Each structure stands twice: as structure tokens, then as C-alpha cells.
Amino acid sequence: MDVSANKGGNGDAFVVGVDFGTLSARALVVRVSDGAEAGTAVSEYPHAVIDRELDGVELPPDWALQDPADYTGALAAAVPAAIRDAGIDPGQVIGIATDFTASTCMPVLADGTPLCQLPGLAGRPHAYPKLWKHHAAQPHADRINAVAHERQEKWINRYGGKISSEWQFAKALQLLDEDFELYQRADRWIEAADWIIWQLCGTETRNACTAGYKGIFQDGSYPSREYLAALDPRFAGFADSKLAHPIAALGARAGGLTPAAAALTGLPAGLPVAVGNVDAHVTVPAAGPVAAGKMVAIMGTSTCHVMNGQSMNGTDLAEVPGMCGVVDGGIVAGMWGYEAGQSGVGDIFAWFTQNGVPGEFAAEARRRGVSLQQLLDEKATAEPAGAHGLIALDWAGGNRSVLVDGRLSGAIVGLTLATTAPEIYRALLESTAFGTRMIIDTYSAAGVPVTELVVAGGLVKSAPLMQIYADVTRRPLSVIGSGQGPALGSAIHAAVAAGAYPDVPAAAAAMGRIDRDVYRPDPARADVYDELYAEYVRLHDYFGRGTNEVMHRLRAIRDGVRKVAR
Amino acid sequence: MDVSANKGGNGDAFVVGVDFGTLSARALVVRVSDGAEAGTAVSEYPHAVIDRELDGVELPPDWALQDPADYTGALAAAVPAAIRDAGIDPGQVIGIATDFTASTCMPVLADGTPLCQLPGLAGRPHAYPKLWKHHAAQPHADRINAVAHERQEKWINRYGGKISSEWQFAKALQLLDEDFELYQRADRWIEAADWIIWQLCGTETRNACTAGYKGIFQDGSYPSREYLAALDPRFAGFADSKLAHPIAALGARAGGLTPAAAALTGLPAGLPVAVGNVDAHVTVPAAGPVAAGKMVAIMGTSTCHVMNGQSMNGTDLAEVPGMCGVVDGGIVAGMWGYEAGQSGVGDIFAWFTQNGVPGEFAAEARRRGVSLQQLLDEKATAEPAGAHGLIALDWAGGNRSVLVDGRLSGAIVGLTLATTAPEIYRALLESTAFGTRMIIDTYSAAGVPVTELVVAGGLVKSAPLMQIYADVTRRPLSVIGSGQGPALGSAIHAAVAAGAYPDVPAAAAAMGRIDRDVYRPDPARADVYDELYAEYVRLHDYFGRGTNEVMHRLRAIRDGVRKVAR
């Protein structure tokens, strides 16, 4: 879709969607009538991911922090640039909405000031936002899960029986445990998704998506004081004092742009601001008509699989083993939203590209003017499926679904003296496709059939990877019609918050886009992948379901040795 | 030891030992009185290992051939060069002996001409010597083992219950199976170790070492006609027609140098030539005094563990599970010689160095003027033991001991997004040390205690690797006193064949050298390695003893897919 012929002409109405990713934020200017993308701009976070050291001091393993100044800075840079790129008048913008990685959460004062911005706290790791991929709260997640099962908390099964170390409660409990002083100084514990809205409209809000998926908000309440006290007596008041707030439906208006935020973004003060949202979930309406059973896989550094189930009537709710969560109105108000995920996908490919590929390939890529990953994609898929004799587990970043275990790790089996780097790379590509198939199979087995598979996110640019996913899942792959799915999804929510559409499904039907069945499975390759998938399942269950806890023990040995060495 | 001050002076007597390795041959000139090394020279094989294509035609997976003209060529180049390097007169040389990789075996005519040198056969893979690491005869080894167990052949337990695909019978059966015409044209099937002696003294001999370890010669005979017929009726006469020959003790005189061989080597015609020997076994006397329980690990591309047991009286013979073999006089006449091995050791490090290390490390190595492996050694061992959180299986080249299964493959478990190439490299180093510990433990459990561990071979140059072996095995490591163990061992046998010493132990005591306890285990590291070794053992048994045959299935899928694709 191209609006360049009449960029901003005719006084069309526009909305701005801003997608806060792991390393940068992207602003997208979208026409309200049809979703046409008029302009865009990206701003990188200067501090990126803080995972090695903070203020000159080495961080422990599995830590991942960010600097919240990077978020507001990106807003100030990307929004005006996108407006300029669109060639429209800021006055034509009728609303703004954002989405964020999650659970990325932080301790703040009652006025929203992040603790890390207070004098004297710049060197305190726990004062910073903990990025979604901060995995150091696993012992706390373990405790949360053990106590929940002990007490038979009803909500635990809404999360596949396990709360992730990536989420709000685990990260907050780690804060309490390791830096109680800071825990006490934090008036509020808030998702970055909601914090950024606070910066825009000056009032705290809490959105249904992060509250439900990341904050254990189910059936109208957070976990009880009794449960929290069982985790730690000092934690009893956590939800009441640091989380509690009315929950807003997705697409609702959070408030109007403050004068300060208007100055920051170049948009008019008072402009409607939608409540916060999560990058994965916000993408579903960007893929066009909303329907139960339509799974959208947002594939980037990690993959989120989000899907609406049947409408709410109590009996239609399914508890899928190992799902990340099922939340009432978690994706679209009025439907059960299901979420699953893979902790590492593009992250694994990038890790291998940086750490496992000899210089000759980098030289060839430079010579041919392609990226190293493009070159590997090409070389890896030149051989027939199964020719490498390898099988890998896609757990270098842990396993979110269906095992919900951040302490698992990656494995490769089948190496010979003839194995090449492109072959290992392909095995890693395939391993993530097997991980997705495992999720789809688990949903189907739990009575939530996946009727359509849509892919979105940065990895859809790799045609070889997409073909592997089609072959491995034996399903045609539809591709979201926008290269900026989350930002477009945010723009759709902005249009609803601005009152241009009655609800998100109506806006999605008008503004979302999908290309159907772009990749179709090849039966011969799918047969080979069936064999390899059977091997994947065996190793998955052996290493992931407790037969051999070697990955946990290796991690414990590693952490013990590193602690002594420090 | 340095004889340069009086190189060849005083009319001292010398012997020449020639070690035929995987990629080159080395000649060493040694003083008979004390084993001092006077001169040496190396000659590379022009065709190296033929494992990708022959005559422009691609070879199937797992093939590894050599060109026998490379062997004689290396003899012609290296021996005169070593004599020149020593600065002695060829007339001072009183004997010559050789050792070879094994089982490297080939089909020849009755006069010793290799079939690949016959007109019209240059393009026939089966006409060439099959190098020790040719692993394509695994189906034939499987059949050899199945039928042996079915018929309860007594000899099978002398080989840990399994005949390797690397040995004479498996490779010969593959020849019969896949190129029967060539099988029929072969008058003899002979080890390269014996073939090279035939080239030197003009007469066929068969040495006790290869006959016993690689040729299933036990208690005075080869496997019976009935057994061979059960493998294939056409195979019934194999041993009688193509192998049978008196077996010569190690250190015996095979004959005198022919005029042609004298011209080739620049040594006097009629010079005593010792019978053939194997590179690993010949090294034992090079490590000084011969003693039961003194295990010598010859560490190069692969590792052989050779050790003498008690003297022959029948009851002292132990059948060790998974050993490669126990042979009467297989290392030193009059003792039971035990052999175990690891198929891939240096090969695995070289594979990883070439295929798994990003260009930045190669650039740093160049800048600092060290080899990439030296750099990796240094970086890999900068962290404490266990800090990488990894465990690897050292089977990228298959597993010789204690599983005797060439179709196993390598595995790495514990990868995270923070894992670096040097960490993987270290896990691979450690995996081979765990493999050696598994062998030592298996020997001890079978009643053949290892009382001393001596290392030899090219890898002893890596101090970090040696320290890992000391820590993992919890044993002090003695190091052979010569950088050319096999060639020195051959020279010792030449001295015996020339009559300068009454037997090999006497020559070893005078000419061999050892540095005792060069590396001592560190108790703290050894404790961590105990934990990691326990993980190694679990994975070893899971993947290697039939619980999950995934490695076999992956290989079958690979081979099936590749066959279709060709």
C-alpha cells in the first residue's frame, strides 16, 4: 500500500503507533481510513541491553537491564522523524498508542520516576528496568511456582502450571530478596508498557494485557496477601501497594498528551493516548480480521505465539500445558487471549552467526554484499532436508513454552568431522521450527485447535526460514501484510482510542493486512522433518521433562564456580 | 639429549626409525648406545587423505583412502634427508624399522603390487588402501559382530565384544560386497605396516601386532572357514588365501634391504629390516622401561591407549569391555598387549578450529604470531573449570573404546546465548579427557589396573590440554622423553632386529626416555571435573548404550537423503 502519491493530502486523519523493541523503538504514521503506512522512523537505544556490566561492575550471569532514559529519548527522536517522513501536518494526527517488550518492569516512585534516575542509585542494578530476557530471577520463579502448587492456587493453571522468571512477580521478588532497601523505596512496580503511557499522558494506567499475562491478574484480582506472605512475609502487601490500580481494556483511552510530552514528540497537547500494550499481542489485529484459532507468531529475537480463543462463557476456557498464559481480553476485549512463546529464536541465529562461523564466510558475505545471515540461509538450505545428520534443541535462551524453564540450555547432537557451520546453522533454524510445532501440537491436544498460522516480525524476511517452518509444521504460512506489525497494531489501537472505530476488531478489519498462504509445505521435505521432529520430541522430553537434569546441574556448576571466582 | 657436539663422530652405530602417520612420514636417526636422536626429516604425502573425491568422482560419506605411492615417495625423501641432518655416514646405520597407522589395509597382487597401481584401476575406490579412519564398512562390522556372537566365537571377547569397522575384516568384507571383481583380483589383503616392509626387503611378512589387533589372529589362527562362510559363502577362503602367513614377533628381522630399496633410501643393501609395527604400539618401548600397568596414551588426530599386562600364563588374561583388543606379544613379545582408543581427538580440535571459530580469533592469533589452537588453548583455560556450563561427547569421529561404535557422533549440551567459541573448544578438550578416563576406569574395573599414565604424540605440546588430562583423571602425567615417540620406538626395534640388544625391553631400557609426573592434578579442579564427568557418563550411556539410538537414526536419515540426492 502506498500513500506517497498523496502523502498527507486531502486532510486525511492519521495515527501514530510506537513499537518499543529490545534494541530500538520504531514510530509509524498510519492513515486511519485504510491502514496505509505513511511514514516511519527508528531510534536505537544508546545503552541497548545492559548485560555485562553496570557502572564498571560486572553483572552476574543471566542479568539483562535497560535504561529508561533510552525509551523517552527514542520517543523524542522517532516520532517527529516519522511525522516528517510521512510529510503530514502534526495536526492531522488524531491519536497515539505504543507497545512494548514484556515483561520489562521497573521500580518507580509514586510520580513515576524510575529509581535508577534518583541521585546515588545509578550503580544499583536493581534500580533499573529488568528487560524481558533477564533470567536471573529463576530461583524466585521456582519459589513462586512451588508455593502456588502447594497452596493449589487456582490461577497457576492459567499459566501452564508455571510462572516464568521473566515476569513481574519473579523479578519483584528478586528485588525484595537481593536489595530490600530499594524494594522499600519503590512506591510502584510497573511494566515499561504502562510506564511509557504515564510519560505521555501524566497518569498511571495498567493495561489488561500485561496485568493478565505478566502480572498474574486473573478473575478480577492479583494473587492473595496470604499467598504473597507465604513467599515472604515482607512480600504480603506487594500487589496491594505496588501494583493495584483499575485495569484498562486494550484500545481504551488512557488520557491526553501532556504539554511536556507534546513538546517531546511534536504532537498536539491533549491528543488521545491509548493504554499500553505488548509488542506481540498488539500485532494480532495488524494481521487483519480477528478470528478464534488464528495463531500469529511474532518472530524476532524471540517468538511469541498469540491467538484468540472462543468468546468468554466460562466453559470455553482451556488450560493448555506449558502455555504462557490465557487472559480474558488479553489480546482483544471480549475474547480469551492465549499466549505461548520461545525464549530464543533470532537471538540464537545471531549468537551462532557471531560466535560459531569461521571468517571465510564473513569474507564471502562481504565480497557478495549480503549479510552473513543471508549467506548462511542460502548455504544452509542448499542441501536437502536431513542431509546434515543433526538435531538441535532451541533452548540457548531457555524454554518458555511448553516447558517454562529458563534454566534449560541448548544442545546439538550428530556432529561429525565433516559437519560445517552452515549445517549447524540450519539445524538451529530447524530447531526453532520444531519448537513452534511442539507449541501448535500442544494447543491442539488441549482442545484449542490452531486453524491458521500467520507469521510476523523481523524474521519473516528470511524466505528459507519461512519455508522450513511451513515444511516442519506441514501448514501453509500466511504473512502479515506489514513489515511493521507491532507499530501498525499500535496505530490500530490509537485509532480506537481516538474514537475513529467502535472497537479493535472493526479497526483491524479496516486497517490490518495479511498475505495468505505465501509458503506451502513440500510433502517430501515434510516427511523428512517428521522423522527429525520425532527425534526432537525424544530429546525435548529427555532433557526438558526431568529424565536427565543435566542442563540444570551444568548451570548450577557454572554459577557456583563463577561465584567463587569473583 | 643432544649429540650435535659429536654428530656421527667416533664411528657410533645408528639405526633409522620411520613413522608413517596419517598425513606424512618422519624418519629419525638414533644412536644405538643411548637412543640419542641425531637427525630427522619429514615428508608430506602429496595426496594426503582421499575422502572427498577420487578421479573427479565424489566419494560416499565416511570414506578415507590413501595412495601407496605416497608411502614409498615419503621413504625416498625422508630417509636420506634424515641421514644428512644427522651428519653421519650411511655406513654407520646398522638397521631400519618402520611403524604405520592401522588398520590401513589394501588389496595387492602376489608380488605386492597395489591394485590401484594396475592399468585401468586408478578410478576404482576399492583398489586403494583404506585408511584407518575409513568408517564406511560399519554395516560389515555389524555383520561380523552379529555372526560372531551368534556363533559364540571365542575370539570376539578378546576385542571387547566388537570388531571395529576400521579393521581388516570389515574393510575386506566391504570390498567383497561392493566390488567383487577387485576382491577376486586381490591375491593378498595386507596392512600398509607389512606392505612397506615388503617394499624394503622384498619379502612378505606379517607382524604379530597388526595380525592380532587388526586381523583377529588369536591363539595361533584366524577366524575359521565356517565362520567366514557364514558372513558370505564367497568369503570362506579369505583368511587362508589372502592373509595366511607365518606371524613374526615384534623386533624380529624381516630380511635385508633390497638393492632397489637401498637405492631409494641411500642406505646399504642387505641392511637388517625389522618386521612392521603400529605407530601406537611401537611407542611403548620409546617411553623407557617396559612394565605391566604402564599405560601409554599416544595422542594425535586420534588417541591409542596401549599397555602391557601380566606375562602369559593363561589366567592373567583379562577381557576388558570395549577394549580394542588384547594380543599375545602385541606390544612386546612375551606379554599380553592391551589396546584401547579414541577415534577422534586432535581431529576434533582441528575440525572445530577450522569450522567453529569466528574470524576475530584467527586475526588475533595472526597478530600475536601464535597458532589458532594455541590461542584457543590460552583463552579456553583462562576461566575456571566448569565455568562454561557445557558438556560434550567426544564422538565426532565415532567411538572406538569403550563403545566400539563408529556411527556414534558428537554432541554438545549446555549452550547459552553467552557461550563463546573458546568455551566450546574447552568443552571439546575436556570431552576427550573424559573419554580417556572412561577407558582407564573400564580397565581398572576389569582387573587390569593402570598404575602409570604416560602421554606421547603431537598433542603433548599443549600444556593446557595435558593439565586438563591430569585434573580429569586425577593422576600425575608422565611425558615421553622424545618428541618423536613412534619413530624412536621404531628405531629401538631396528636395534633389536640388528642384534644390538637381546630383546625389546633391553633396548627400551637403554634407548627409551620418560619425564615423570610432569603434570599433577589440582584437587579443586579435579573436584569440579568429577561432577562434569558424572554428567559425561550419564550422556555417554544414554546416547552410546542404546537408550536413545538418535545418533544412528540421524546418520541413517543423512545417508538416505544423500543417496537420493546423488
Side-chain angles (χ1 to χ4, degrees):
Chain A
M1 208 163 294
D2 183 9
V3 294
S4 58
N6 64 342
K7 269 197 178 182
N10 313 326
D12 280 348
F14 290 84
V15 279
V16 176
V18 188
D19 167 42
F20 289 87
T22 299
L23 297 171
S24 63
R26 169 182 297 276
L28 185 70
V29 178
V30 175
R31 188 159 61 195
V32 173
S33 60
D34 60 0
E37 298 174 11
T40 188
V42 177
S43 174
E44 311 271 335
Y45 305 151
H47 300 89
V49 179
I50 303 165
D51 57 1
R52 300 247 163 206
E53 55 168 50
L54 181 72
D55 237 25
V57 179
E58 197 188 343
L59 289 169
D62 297 327
W63 275 63
L65 305 177
Q66 289 202 312
D67 188 328
D70 289 351
Y71 305 147
T72 41
L75 205 53
V79 173
I83 297 289
R84 278 195 303 276
D85 185 49
I88 64 164
D89 186 284
Q92 290 175 266
V93 175
I94 65 166
I96 184 170
T98 63
D99 63 85
F100 230 101
T101 64
S103 172
T104 297
C105 45
M106 64 180 111
V108 299
L109 298 183
D111 67 356
T113 307
L115 294 197
C116 60
Q117 295 180 352
L118 297 182
L121 296 187
R124 289 274 274 276
H126 276 292
Y128 285 78
K130 293 186 170 72
L131 185 62
W132 62 274
K133 67 176 170 177
H134 173 97
H135 287 131
Q138 188 61 49
H140 309 89
D142 291 346
R143 181 149 174 71
I144 284 167
N145 289 315
V147 175
H149 285 289
E150 226 166 74
R151 294 175 43 94
Q152 299 183 292
E153 297 288 342
K154 231 184 86 187
W155 45 260
I156 189 72
N157 293 325
R158 298 276 173 91
Y159 301 96
K162 279 194 197 170
I163 299 301
S164 166
S165 70
E166 294 185 0
W167 299 346
Q168 286 180 19
F169 278 73
K171 284 168 172 166
L173 191 56
Q174 190 193 9
L175 164 62
L176 176 138
D177 220 34
E178 299 177 2
D179 197 340
F180 187 59
E181 187 202 335
L182 279 196
Y183 176 83
Q184 288 178 300
R185 285 181 74 172
D187 297 315
R188 310 290 287 162
W189 179 250
I190 193 164
E191 283 286 329
D194 289 326
W195 181 83
I196 198 74
I197 300 303
W198 201 340
Q199 307 312 301
L200 287 170
C201 64
T203 33
E204 178 180 351
T205 53
R206 301 269 169 164
N207 73 82
C209 180
T210 49
Y213 286 112
K214 315 299 175 185
I216 324 185
F217 187 84
Q218 290 284 351
D219 300 328
S221 59
Y222 288 108
S224 68
R225 288 186 70 88
E226 293 69 31
Y227 166 76
L228 296 175
L231 292 176
D232 190 309
R234 298 170 300 169
F235 206 49
F238 170 66
D240 288 348
S241 67
K242 299 191 205 288
L243 297 181
H245 194 279
I247 304 297
L250 301 178
R253 185 179 183 280
L257 210 59
T258 64
L264 194 75
T265 58
L267 296 174
L271 183 78
V273 179
V275 298
N277 210 326
V278 176
D279 49 6
H281 306 71
V282 81
T283 303
V284 170
V290 171
K294 178 178 177 175
M295 176 178 274
V296 180
I298 299 95
M299 302 177 60
T301 49
S302 64
T303 291
C304 279
H305 309 77
V306 282
M307 180 169 79
N308 284 297
Q310 297 306 313
S311 62
M312 289 176 295
N313 64 11
T315 59
D316 282 341
L317 167 64
E319 287 175 350
V320 183
M323 68 183 170
C324 298
V326 54
V327 171
D328 178 358
I331 300 171
V332 174
M335 300 179 91
W336 283 105
Y338 292 87
E339 181 191 350
Q342 292 173 268
S343 315
V345 180
D347 257 4
I348 294 176
F349 310 152
W351 163 76
F352 184 74
T353 304
Q354 286 159 28
N355 292 283
V357 182
E360 67 200 71
F361 292 101
E364 182 178 343
R366 273 195 302 275
R367 209 163 52 235
R368 290 177 42 193
V370 297
S371 76
L372 183 49
Q373 275 186 248
Q374 283 173 314
L375 183 81
L376 290 174
D377 272 354
E378 175 196 313
K379 288 192 184 289
T381 50
E383 283 189 346
H388 53 38
L390 299 170
I391 194 89
L393 292 174
D394 52 321
W395 305 343
N399 178 296
R400 202 178 297 152
S401 299
V402 298
L403 300 169
V404 201
D405 186 345
R407 287 174 309 173
L408 293 173
S409 50
I412 304 174
V413 174
L415 299 163
T416 73
L417 298 174
T419 301
T420 65
E423 288 177 335
I424 295 175
Y425 182 76
R426 177 170 178 160
L428 294 174
L429 298 183
E430 292 165 353
S431 72
T432 67
F434 295 142
T436 286
R437 177 165 168 183
M438 173 67 74
I439 289 168
I440 293 173
D441 287 359
T442 303
Y443 268 84
S444 299
V448 191
V450 176
T451 53
E452 187 180 358
L453 183 57
V454 184
V455 289
L459 291 179
V460 300
K461 279 181 290 190
S462 166
L465 180 66
M466 293 302 105
Q467 188 59 53
I468 287 172
Y469 271 65
D471 293 337
V472 164
T473 61
R474 282 190 179 275
R475 288 165 182 268
L477 243 58
S478 298
V479 180
I480 192 167
S482 167
Q484 314 302 339
L488 175 58
S490 279
I492 286 170
H493 284 80
V496 175
Y501 292 96
D503 56 26
V504 171
M511 298 173 71
R513 291 192 295 283
I514 189 168
D515 298 323
R516 292 198 193 273
D517 303 353
V518 176
Y519 299 94
R520 292 172 180 280
D522 171 79
R525 281 195 300 266
D527 286 347
V528 174
Y529 283 134
D530 275 348
E531 290 185 69
L532 292 178
Y533 180 64
E535 303 301 341
Y536 176 88
V537 172
R538 268 185 213 103
L539 293 175
H540 175 280
D541 292 352
Y542 174 72
F543 286 111
R545 298 198 195 271
T547 315
N548 185 345
E549 298 271 11
V550 54
M551 290 173 178
H552 292 170
R553 288 188 299 264
L554 286 172
R555 195 171 282 259
I557 293 169
R558 180 196 74 176
D559 293 349
V561 161
R562 294 209 161 170
K563 193 175 277 174
V564 169
R566 253 203 309 278
Chain B
M1 211 163 292
D2 183 9
V3 293
S4 59
N6 63 340
K7 270 195 178 184
N10 314 328
D12 280 349
F14 291 85
V15 279
V16 176
V18 188
D19 167 43
F20 288 87
T22 299
L23 297 171
S24 63
R26 169 182 297 275
L28 185 70
V29 178
V30 175
R31 188 159 60 196
V32 173
S33 59
D34 59 1
E37 298 174 13
T40 186
V42 177
S43 174
E44 310 272 334
Y45 305 151
H47 299 89
V49 179
I50 304 166
D51 56 0
R52 300 244 162 209
E53 55 168 50
L54 180 71
D55 235 25
V57 179
E58 199 189 338
L59 288 169
D62 298 328
W63 276 62
L65 306 177
Q66 289 202 313
D67 188 328
D70 288 353
Y71 304 147
T72 39
L75 206 53
V79 173
I83 297 288
R84 278 196 304 276
D85 185 50
I88 63 163
D89 186 283
Q92 290 176 266
V93 176
I94 65 164
I96 184 170
T98 65
D99 62 85
F100 230 100
T101 67
S103 173
T104 297
C105 47
M106 63 180 110
V108 300
L109 298 182
D111 68 355
T113 307
L115 293 197
C116 61
Q117 294 180 352
L118 297 182
L121 296 187
R124 289 274 275 276
H126 276 292
Y128 285 79
K130 292 186 171 71
L131 184 62
W132 62 273
K133 66 175 169 176
H134 173 96
H135 287 130
Q138 188 61 51
H140 308 90
D142 292 345
R143 182 151 173 69
I144 284 168
N145 289 315
V147 174
H149 285 290
E150 226 167 73
R151 292 175 44 94
Q152 300 183 289
E153 296 288 344
K154 229 184 89 188
W155 45 260
I156 189 70
N157 293 327
R158 299 274 173 92
Y159 301 96
K162 280 193 196 170
I163 298 302
S164 165
S165 70
E166 293 185 0
W167 299 347
Q168 287 181 18
F169 277 73
K171 284 169 171 165
L173 191 56
Q174 189 194 9
L175 164 62
L176 176 138
D177 219 34
E178 299 178 2
D179 197 340
F180 187 58
E181 186 201 335
L182 280 196
Y183 175 82
Q184 288 178 299
R185 287 183 71 173
D187 296 316
R188 308 292 287 162
W189 180 250
I190 193 164
E191 283 286 331
D194 288 326
W195 180 83
I196 199 72
I197 299 304
W198 202 339
Q199 306 312 301
L200 287 170
C201 65
T203 32
E204 179 179 350
T205 53
R206 301 269 169 165
N207 72 82
C209 180
T210 49
Y213 287 112
K214 314 299 174 185
I216 325 185
F217 187 85
Q218 289 285 351
D219 300 327
S221 58
Y222 288 109
S224 68
R225 288 186 69 89
E226 293 69 32
Y227 166 75
L228 296 175
L231 293 176
D232 190 311
R234 299 171 299 170
F235 205 49
F238 170 67
D240 287 348
S241 67
K242 298 188 204 290
L243 298 182
H245 193 281
I247 305 297
L250 301 177
R253 186 179 184 278
L257 209 60
T258 63
L264 194 76
T265 57
L267 296 174
L271 183 78
V273 179
V275 299
N277 210 326
V278 175
D279 48 8
H281 306 70
V282 81
T283 304
V284 171
V290 170
K294 177 178 179 178
M295 176 178 275
V296 180
I298 299 97
M299 302 179 58
T301 52
S302 64
T303 291
C304 279
H305 309 77
V306 281
M307 180 168 79
N308 284 297
Q310 297 306 314
S311 61
M312 289 177 293
N313 63 10
T315 59
D316 282 341
L317 168 64
E319 287 175 350
V320 184
M323 69 182 168
C324 299
V326 53
V327 171
D328 178 358
I331 301 171
V332 173
M335 299 179 94
W336 283 104
Y338 292 87
E339 180 191 351
Q342 292 173 269
S343 314
V345 180
D347 257 3
I348 294 177
F349 311 152
W351 162 78
F352 183 74
T353 304
Q354 286 158 28
N355 291 282
V357 182
E360 68 201 71
F361 293 100
E364 183 178 343
R366 273 194 303 276
R367 209 164 51 236
R368 290 175 43 192
V370 297
S371 76
L372 182 49
Q373 276 185 247
Q374 283 173 316
L375 182 81
L376 290 173
D377 273 353
E378 175 196 312
K379 287 192 185 289
T381 49
E383 284 188 345
H388 53 38
L390 299 170
I391 194 92
L393 292 174
D394 53 321
W395 305 342
N399 177 296
R400 202 178 297 153
S401 299
V402 297
L403 300 169
V404 201
D405 186 346
R407 288 173 310 173
L408 293 173
S409 50
I412 304 174
V413 174
L415 300 164
T416 74
L417 298 174
T419 301
T420 65
E423 288 177 336
I424 295 176
Y425 181 76
R426 177 169 179 160
L428 294 175
L429 299 183
E430 291 165 354
S431 73
T432 67
F434 295 142
T436 286
R437 176 164 167 183
M438 173 68 74
I439 289 168
I440 293 173
D441 287 358
T442 304
Y443 267 84
S444 299
V448 190
V450 176
T451 53
E452 185 180 1
L453 183 56
V454 184
V455 290
L459 292 178
V460 301
K461 279 180 292 191
S462 166
L465 179 67
M466 292 303 104
Q467 189 58 53
I468 287 172
Y469 271 65
D471 292 337
V472 165
T473 61
R474 281 189 179 277
R475 288 165 182 270
L477 244 57
S478 298
V479 180
I480 191 168
S482 167
Q484 315 302 339
L488 174 58
S490 279
I492 287 170
H493 285 79
V496 177
Y501 292 98
D503 54 26
V504 171
M511 299 172 71
R513 290 193 293 284
I514 189 166
D515 297 324
R516 293 198 193 273
D517 304 352
V518 177
Y519 299 95
R520 292 174 181 280
D522 170 81
R525 281 195 300 267
D527 286 347
V528 174
Y529 283 134
D530 274 349
E531 291 186 69
L532 292 177
Y533 179 65
E535 303 300 341
Y536 176 89
V537 171
R538 270 186 211 100
L539 293 175
H540 175 280
D541 291 352
Y542 175 72
F543 286 111
R545 297 201 195 269
T547 314
N548 186 346
E549 297 271 9
V550 54
M551 290 173 178
H552 292 169
R553 288 189 299 265
L554 286 172
R555 194 171 282 259
I557 292 169
R558 180 196 76 175
D559 293 348
V561 161
R562 296 210 158 168
K563 194 176 278 177
V564 169
R566 253 203 309 276

